[in-house]
Amino acid sequence: MAAVDKPRLSRAHVLDLLKHMIRIRRFEDKCAELYTREKIRGFLHLYDGEEAVAVGVIPVLEDRDRIVATYREHGHALVRGVSMKAALAEMYGKREGCSGGRGGSMHLFDRITNFYGGNAIVGGGLPLAVGLALADQMRGEDNVTACFFGEGAVAEGEFHESVNLAALWSLPVLFVCENNRYAMGTALAISESETDIQQKAACYRMDSEAVDGMDVVAVEAAARRAVTAIRETGKPYFLECRTYRLRAHSMFDAQLYRDKAEVEAWRAKEPILRFRTWLEKNNMLHPEDLARIEAEVAAEIEAAVAFAEAAQWEPVEELTRFVYAENTA
Amino acid sequence: MTGRSAMAQAAAQSVATETTYREAIREAIRDALKRDERVFLMGEDVGRYGGCYAVTKGLLAEFGPERIRDTPLSESGFTGAGIGAAMGGMRPIVEVMTVNFSLLALDQILNSAATIRHMSGNQFGVPLVIRMATGAGRQLAAQHSHSLEGWYAHIPGIKVLAPATIEDARGMLWTALEDPDPVLIFEHIMLYNMTGALSPGAGPVDIDKAAVRREGEDISLITYGGSLWKALEAATALAGEGIKAEVVDLRTLRPLDDATIMASVRKTHRAIIIDEGWRSGGLAAEICTRIEEQAFWDLDAPVGRVCSEEVPIPYPRHLEEAAIPQVPKIVAAAKAALKRA
């Protein structure tokens, strides 16, 4: 079934897009709160400001397609359909978590939704995505593997190796570069000789596009073009989404490397505010819609917190499980 | 010889053919490619070049470029791709030309292959086989002479094999391919030309047991890979002086077969471990400690080690020979443990 290659902006669809983004934003807010209350530990990387990328791309994919993401992957997991309860329980470290509690925030995996993690090594997921696509190609299966990574990953050797392999072997990978301008605290301009990320795809003779990552409709349109192209040609596609990370890199980051004024300027153009404003202006969003969305999201989050709180710790006796396959029967 | 698989014992009764370690591996790969369409092999120069050590010679013509896949020089990229393809339902064999280049793929091996099952809470496994040439002896100098099996054997989540015999070269690959977890197979470069008999019915062997290659009562020589044949030669030399050495071929470095090791040590009360990795913090140290933990009261002497000296492997022949384990050092270590001059 070929992807429809243009977004259809029915009221139902736009409200769906808005709800997805709000759902991610409120979930991340709750994660930040739970982190300060020490319910979530370790590293926590939140997606505020970038929601339009996951929400624009992922619903364009089919269930049979595959997703590889990074340690900033809560939004991707949620919009893909990983249960919010399972995701939050995972961040609590409980056994009902989507990775059995073993992974935490950076390692959300979900077999049922073809969600291949969650990866704490910058660039580490790209070769995996190449391999997943290779398996599909060798078996003649019409699947797309969407691989999300930040612009920081573009400096890693693994990026170049992976993009080269995908182009050389004509593999059905959708490389989605979320260019949020900072790799942790390092601005793009001081780490890349060529800061136009999309240009790099051309060096590998890969079709590409750069899109305003703060505009969910533009992202969806670009994703539809990309996925259609991949399914038709079997060749990979590179989508640079230009976006901005409104929060710190992680909960430990003092943000010494950027001005507060810069952040506030971007906050004024952030994707939820922007989409809401546009919808209201075009009479597609009414106050009762927004109230309903916020209420539904709040209820879902409250239920997820209750679930995670009540969920169980794995017994310590089970520590050395899941290192190797366990024999069944 | 004790410790052979039952299948090989029965097969040994039929007519054996003369073959080489290299050819045995090639046959194992051919067999796997024919048996299971999910299997494919990728690596540098495996196709058109025929393999750096000629292991895959002829396979490209027989199986085609999709299943014998030449890769660019991208160890991290193609090892990670092998991991992804395994997660996606294939049974890849990734050939890293030598362990020396595997360091470029170390992040994928450790942070992906070894850990995905655990991090995903058992949702995804990585049924991948990685084959690598290893070891010193051809004057290839410091960057091409490593034995890093001990480093890999340190990692939970993978399995590490060192086939030292032609039977194991032929039989370990299939068992490794059937394993749902990542398996690394180390082939010592000095073994590729080794000739020996292989029964025509030779097939899969276990990958979780050590094997006693020579029985003895006086001392256990515990080793793996290329060093096995040096240990056997040392045992012959020791026999000439009335010392009966037992030679244990570890075969699998992770998991280590403690039961076979300890049974031997309890029998002989003395042990020397021969390991081509560097002495400090090497696999031999791990085995020494296990013997100390499990068989301390059975020992009549401290466990000895014959390992590579603390130096990057040098180029000139006499220095390379002095750097890595050799028969005279093994003999001397055994005699010292027996307090013999």
Side-chain angles (χ1 to χ4, degrees):
Chain A
M1 219 189 303
V4 173
D5 66 357
K6 285 191 170 64
R8 297 213 179 124
L9 299 181
S10 65
R11 212 175 93 85
H13 182 59
V14 298
L15 291 183
D16 196 47
L17 290 175
L18 183 66
K19 181 174 175 182
H20 273 310
M21 291 198 290
I22 289 176
R23 185 169 173 255
I24 294 170
R25 180 69 60 85
R26 299 288 174 250
F27 179 80
E28 299 291 69
D29 284 344
K30 180 57 72 172
C31 287
E33 180 204 317
L34 291 167
Y35 191 89
T36 57
R37 288 170 49 205
E38 298 193 358
K39 301 286 186 171
I40 300 176
R41 310 284 278 154
F43 282 150
L44 186 70
H45 307 89
L46 301 175
Y47 201 50
D48 294 47
E50 303 186 48
E51 296 87 350
V53 179
V55 173
V57 174
I58 291 175
V60 173
L61 302 169
E62 306 278 342
D63 289 351
R64 61 197 165 84
D65 293 325
R66 309 180 193 268
I67 296 176
V68 176
T70 73
Y71 50 76
R72 195 181 303 282
E73 88 282 33
H74 305 168
H76 306 75
L78 288 177
V79 73
R80 180 56 168 177
V82 177
S83 124
M84 186 185 282
K85 288 178 176 172
L88 196 59
E90 183 59 39
M91 286 188 241
Y92 269 59
K94 302 284 187 82
R95 74 191 310 177
E96 289 90 331
C98 56
S99 303
R102 292 275 176 148
S105 163
M106 298 190 285
H107 304 300
L108 304 181
F109 285 80
D110 188 43
R111 181 170 199 94
I112 301 201
T113 57
N114 273 321
F115 196 80
Y116 291 85
N119 196 311
I121 304 297
V122 173
L126 279 82
L128 300 183
V130 167
L132 289 166
L134 177 62
D136 283 333
Q137 185 202 64
M138 291 184 81
R139 289 200 310 260
E141 288 181 30
D142 178 30
N143 301 330
V144 171
T145 296
C147 182
F148 293 87
F149 53 98
E151 86 291 342
V154 162
E156 291 281 354
E158 286 187 312
F159 166 78
H160 299 278
E161 294 187 22
S162 302
V163 169
N164 182 48
L165 279 170
L168 189 67
W169 290 348
S170 222
L171 299 175
V173 184
L174 173 58
F175 291 100
V176 184
C177 178
E178 304 193 65
N179 180 1
N180 66 12
R181 299 158 171 268
Y182 291 91
M184 201 155 118
T186 301
L188 183 58
I190 61 168
S191 69
E192 281 294 313
S193 52
E194 171 57 79
T195 56
D196 185 339
I197 310 277
Q198 186 205 351
Q199 280 299 310
K200 298 177 197 284
C203 297
Y204 297 98
R205 296 180 181 255
M206 188 180 295
D207 289 336
S208 67
E209 198 176 327
V211 69
D212 180 357
M214 303 308 245
D215 178 344
V216 67
V217 173
V219 174
E220 180 186 329
R224 285 185 179 281
R225 283 191 287 278
V227 170
T228 302
I230 296 171
R231 285 204 218 278
E232 278 174 9
T233 66
K235 285 159 55 165
Y237 199 99
F238 188 95
L239 182 59
E240 179 193 351
C241 298
R242 295 176 176 163
T243 181
Y244 195 84
R245 195 192 74 214
L246 291 175
R247 283 185 184 263
H249 165 72
S250 74
M251 300 301 285
F252 286 102
D253 175 15
Q255 300 192 75
L256 303 175
Y257 48 86
R258 62 183 186 180
D259 285 335
K260 288 201 163 82
E262 178 188 298
V263 179
E264 292 318 304
W266 279 96
R267 198 182 302 280
K269 331 184 245 190
E270 63 94 346
I272 296 175
L273 178 62
R274 183 164 163 188
F275 196 47
R276 250 189 55 201
T277 307
W278 182 83
L279 291 174
E280 282 159 358
K281 208 195 304 190
N282 286 277
N283 256 310
M284 298 184 89
L285 177 70
H286 309 125
E288 56 270 26
D289 298 319
L290 199 53
R292 176 184 51 81
I293 287 173
E294 293 280 14
E296 283 171 0
V297 165
E300 189 185 2
I301 290 174
E302 197 182 320
V305 174
F307 179 84
E309 288 284 338
Q312 299 297 302
W313 299 110
E314 239 194 304
V316 171
E317 295 73 39
E318 296 192 1
L319 173 65
T320 55
R321 291 185 74 193
F322 314 132
V323 179
Y324 299 99
E326 290 168 3
N327 291 326
T328 50
Chain B
M1 286 203 230
T2 56
R4 298 180 95 183
S5 64
M7 190 188 298
Q9 287 224 331
Q13 261 101 58
S14 59
V15 177
T17 48
E18 192 74 355
T19 187
T20 64
Y21 183 93
R22 167 190 293 107
E23 284 163 355
I25 298 170
R26 185 184 307 132
E27 266 318 294
I29 297 169
R30 284 185 78 241
D31 179 52
L33 286 162
K34 290 196 295 196
R35 278 212 236 187
D36 188 338
E37 61 183 9
R38 300 171 302 171
V39 174
F40 69 101
L41 185 146
M42 65 178 163
E44 294 162 9
D45 288 315
V46 296
R48 294 160 185 81
Y49 188 96
C52 177
Y53 293 97
V55 173
T56 50
K57 190 168 165 197
L59 296 183
L60 173 64
E62 186 173 350
F63 294 98
E66 292 247 319
R67 299 190 75 201
I68 300 291
R69 206 170 258 266
D70 280 324
T71 63
L73 276 64
S74 301
E75 279 77 1
S76 186
F78 67 74
T79 300
I83 295 166
M87 289 169 77
M90 303 297 281
R91 293 276 163 150
I93 304 169
V94 166
E95 178 172 315
V96 177
M97 193 180 277
T98 78
V99 69
N100 306 288
F101 313 151
S102 73
L103 303 177
L104 296 161
L106 194 46
D107 177 70
Q108 287 295 329
I109 293 170
L110 172 51
N111 279 319
S112 297
T115 53
I116 275 173
R117 181 179 293 285
H118 182 260
M119 287 192 299
S120 72
N122 207 29
Q123 290 181 90
F124 297 110
V126 181
L128 170 69
V129 172
I130 304 177
R131 291 179 39 248
M132 311 194 218
T134 188
R138 291 212 181 283
Q139 295 187 252
L140 302 184
Q143 292 177 334
H144 274 59
S145 303
H146 294 310
S147 285
L148 298 175
E149 300 81 79
W151 272 16
Y152 287 105
H154 182 61
I155 302 169
I158 60 174
K159 298 181 180 178
V160 178
L161 307 179
T165 64
I166 287 174
E167 182 198 19
D168 281 348
R170 177 66 180 86
M172 281 184 158
L173 179 66
W174 181 252
T175 315
L177 280 164
E178 291 202 303
D179 201 295
D181 290 307
V183 181
L184 274 51
I185 303 181
F186 288 93
E187 302 161 3
H188 200 286
I189 54 166
M190 301 307 282
L191 296 181
Y192 282 124
N193 291 329
M194 176 172 75
T195 56
L198 187 68
S199 70
V205 301
D206 74 75
I207 58 170
D208 57 0
K209 297 277 182 293
V212 177
R213 299 294 187 196
R214 180 184 174 126
E215 289 190 355
E217 299 108 50
D218 297 327
I219 188 162
S220 300
L221 304 179
I222 301 167
T223 187
Y224 69 90
S227 298
L228 172 66
W229 303 96
K230 295 177 184 175
L232 286 167
E233 207 182 308
T236 300
L238 289 163
E241 301 191 47
I243 297 168
K244 300 193 195 67
E246 178 150 291
V247 178
V248 177
D249 176 5
L250 291 168
R251 299 179 71 246
T252 165
L253 308 181
R254 184 170 192 111
L256 284 167
D257 177 4
D258 287 355
T260 301
I261 295 169
M262 302 311 151
S264 179
V265 172
R266 287 192 188 107
K267 186 167 98 171
T268 65
H269 310 295
R270 292 164 214 268
I272 303 292
I273 302 160
I274 304 106
D275 167 14
E276 201 177 298
W278 291 297
R279 174 175 294 105
S280 301
L283 188 65
E286 169 64 22
I287 298 168
C288 280
T289 297
R290 289 190 187 210
I291 293 172
E292 180 258 318
E293 286 168 343
Q294 299 177 50
F296 177 82
W297 305 106
D298 295 288
L299 288 172
D300 287 342
V303 179
R305 294 182 284 174
V306 179
C307 302
S308 284
E309 302 300 330
E310 305 292 330
V311 62
I313 305 300
Y315 157 68
R317 181 178 173 156
H318 69 295
L319 291 183
E320 181 181 52
E321 281 180 357
I324 65 177
Q326 302 294 356
V327 173
K329 280 186 181 171
I330 302 170
V331 170
K335 287 164 80 172
L338 285 155
K339 296 210 166 108
R340 295 269 298 266

